[in-house]
Amino acid sequence: MTTTLTVVILGLARQGKALARFFAEQGWHVTVSDTRKPEALQDTMRELSDLDLRYVLGEHPLSLLDGCDLFCTSGGVPSDLPVVQEAARRGIPLSNDAQEFVRRCPAPIIGITGSAGKTTTTTLVGKMLAETGFTTWVGGNIGNPLIGDLAAMQPTDRVVMELSSFQLELMQVSPQVAGVLNITPNHLDRHKTMEAYIAAKANIVAHQHESDIAVLSYDEPNARALARLTQAGVRYFSGTTETNGAFLQGDTLVLRQAERQITVCERRALRLRGMHNVMNALAAITLADATGTSVEAMEHVLSTFTGVEHRLEEVRRVNGVLWINDSIATAPERVMAELQSFDEPLILLAGGRDKDLPWEAFARAVAQRVRVLILFGEAAGLIRGHVEAAVAETRAQHQTVILETVIAAGTLENAVQAAAQHAQSGDVVLLSPGGTSYDAYRDFAERGEHFRQLVMAL
């Protein structure tokens, strides 16, 4: 007699919904728990109405663990919740959609993580593999959670999977090819310490085998240091140093294959702005090469790809002013990289919700690079304090201050109106917040969509 297993899933957002459907269709008993009330989840529950699911809503009681064989959390569910800690104490296996997918996937997986650049690099690798002729699946932390597509996947396919630190935190399996772009301060509101954040990221390579490949940034110390934590063969990409992967040689993107050096393309052929996107391209070349992509496919994608939504996305040019949507920038360090992508005078829209990240370097960059700073959201006062201190420090050191004015706009709508009033022909208005969207929006994409609408209505 076969015993039916029971899985408990915390969180009924995108990942939880995909997990619930997968396990229900596999014949498991599925309990879904969410702190939201039933009225807030009506649409989602309607989508899952064809399944036999048990719901526990409005709370996460410890009684969820009674008879539980597997305990799964969605990415947004913190691991320090009492019910999660109690599950671990009882020895109940902890998992999530990413781990359950990696365990079952019949095709080679290219997993990609990093504090910045994940989505752009994941998209580039997916396009390179598809251009080469592989049936390619792209998802994970972006778009589709992938676990619902398992039945359609073949061993000859390729899977490109973006992985966040939230997903990696629990994972005890690693993809066959793993890329780490960089590990700089991010999500410290969730992970509390930089050491814990690095440890979560490290799981992408920590469980690899000798036949696997780890692709690491040679230039970023935290990513490079992961080489000692993996059994896999390591390949590096670099913007400064000749490596055994892809590297920048003058203004040429070069790939090393065995003893050969192959020119992929010239830097001027890239449609993406900024040195950080050169690094994304070099990472993509190295990762794609590890899975059988042709150099011709790499060159074609790099010379035609214009970017992902909400990542330095050109919204429109009006009266000589270029409006850029970079809503994905939810850390100060990410904004600093974007500021280097422009030679034009800048009006920066920054704010949102802070993640307990350092703002000092951001503030110095704003003082010396931004003409008008417009602040919105919860973190506006915090950012203003750092910027005012940086302006005073810069002047005391007899360095040039570019910043002319700081405006407290309150909301994104007011920020766009203020930018329109201060913008001059030749300026770039850049939405690159540095904070998360959760003080006013569901996610960075909703914030970016609102920005687009506001700009198009000018």
Side-chain angles (χ1 to χ4, degrees), residues 405-417:
T405 186
V406 179
I407 300 167
T411 66
L412 182 57
E413 185 170 9
N414 291 342
V416 169
Q417 290 299 323

Side-chain angles (χ1 to χ4, degrees), residues 148-225:
D149 296 320
L150 272 172
M153 293 181 182
Q154 301 298 317
T156 52
D157 296 350
R158 296 290 185 271
V159 176
V160 191
M161 190 175 188
E162 179 182 315
L163 289 162
S164 71
S165 61
F166 296 175
Q167 293 170 306
L168 288 166
E169 190 175 36
L170 287 178
M171 289 182 67
Q172 297 178 321
V173 291
S174 299
Q176 293 92 337
V177 178
V180 184
L181 309 180
N182 43 61
I183 310 178
T184 55
N186 207 342
H187 300 299
L188 298 187
D189 54 337
R190 164 77 172 259
H191 295 290
K192 309 306 180 190
T193 67
M194 194 63 190
E195 291 74 17
Y197 179 54
I198 292 171
K201 291 289 193 186
N203 279 333
I204 197 170
V205 299
H207 309 288
Q208 288 186 293
H209 305 291
E210 290 181 3
S211 58
D212 296 336
I213 297 173
V215 172
L216 308 176
S217 169
Y218 189 85
D219 304 342
E220 200 286 299
N222 291 324
R224 182 178 173 181

Side-chain angles (χ1 to χ4, degrees), residues 161-457:
M161 190 175 188
E162 179 182 315
L163 289 162
S164 71
S165 61
F166 296 175
Q167 293 170 306
L168 288 166
E169 190 175 36
L170 287 178
M171 289 182 67
Q172 297 178 321
V173 291
S174 299
Q176 293 92 337
V177 178
V180 184
L181 309 180
N182 43 61
I183 310 178
T184 55
N186 207 342
H187 300 299
L188 298 187
D189 54 337
R190 164 77 172 259
H191 295 290
K192 309 306 180 190
T193 67
M194 194 63 190
E195 291 74 17
Y197 179 54
I198 292 171
K201 291 289 193 186
N203 279 333
I204 197 170
V205 299
H207 309 288
Q208 288 186 293
H209 305 291
E210 290 181 3
S211 58
D212 296 336
I213 297 173
V215 172
L216 308 176
S217 169
Y218 189 85
D219 304 342
E220 200 286 299
N222 291 324
R224 182 178 173 181
L226 297 186
R228 64 176 181 267
L229 300 181
T230 185
Q231 297 182 50
V234 177
R235 298 186 71 186
Y236 296 101
F237 63 95
S238 173
T240 61
T241 305
E242 185 174 315
T243 67
N244 62 352
F247 54 91
L248 191 62
Q249 190 174 71
D251 285 324
T252 304
L253 281 70
V254 175
L255 170 66
R256 180 177 290 280
Q257 285 184 335
E259 298 304 311
R260 294 191 306 152
Q261 286 189 188
I262 302 168
T263 295
V264 179
C265 67
E266 296 300 313
R267 179 174 175 175
R268 64 176 178 271
L270 297 181
R271 302 289 299 278
L272 301 175
R273 286 178 177 248
M275 184 61 194
H276 62 296
N277 274 320
V278 174
M279 297 302 294
N280 292 337
L282 292 169
I285 290 168
T286 312
L287 287 160
D289 182 58
T291 49
T293 305
S294 71
V295 173
E296 292 77 16
M298 298 176 195
E299 188 278 332
H300 180 261
V301 170
L302 291 174
S303 62
T304 56
F305 180 64
T306 57
V308 182
E309 285 186 321
H310 315 300
R311 294 155 183 84
L312 288 185
E313 173 193 5
E314 296 189 6
V315 178
R316 72 183 292 204
R317 188 183 293 273
V318 56
N319 298 327
V321 177
L322 180 60
W323 294 76
I324 301 287
N325 169 20
D326 192 45
S327 183
I328 184 64
T330 60
E333 191 153 345
R334 177 69 174 261
V335 182
M336 290 163 58
E338 312 299 39
L339 296 180
Q340 301 304 314
S341 302
F342 299 94
D343 296 321
E344 302 93 331
L346 284 170
I347 296 176
L348 176 65
L349 279 56
R353 175 173 291 172
D354 177 42
K355 294 190 285 187
D356 295 336
L357 300 179
W359 289 90
E360 291 82 3
F362 163 93
R364 290 192 292 271
V366 167
Q368 297 180 297
R369 186 67 192 87
V370 173
R371 186 173 74 80
V372 178
L373 174 64
I374 303 174
L375 299 172
F376 65 93
E378 284 181 8
L382 171 71
I383 298 170
R384 183 170 198 145
H386 282 294
V387 170
E388 288 174 350
V391 167
E393 178 188 339
T394 303
R395 286 185 174 140
Q397 295 172 351
H398 305 291
Q399 296 176 345
T400 302
V401 172
I402 299 295
L403 187 64
E404 297 174 2
T405 186
V406 179
I407 300 167
T411 66
L412 182 57
E413 185 170 9
N414 291 342
V416 169
Q417 290 299 323
Q421 290 167 13
H422 284 78
Q424 303 168 4
S425 181
D427 284 353
V428 169
V429 178
L430 173 64
L431 170 69
S432 195
T436 72
S437 57
Y438 303 133
D439 57 338
Y441 300 94
R442 183 176 65 248
D443 52 28
F444 74 84
E446 185 176 81
R447 179 171 63 189
E449 291 288 350
H450 189 209
F451 177 74
R452 267 207 220 113
Q453 294 166 10
L454 294 168
V455 172
M456 295 308 295

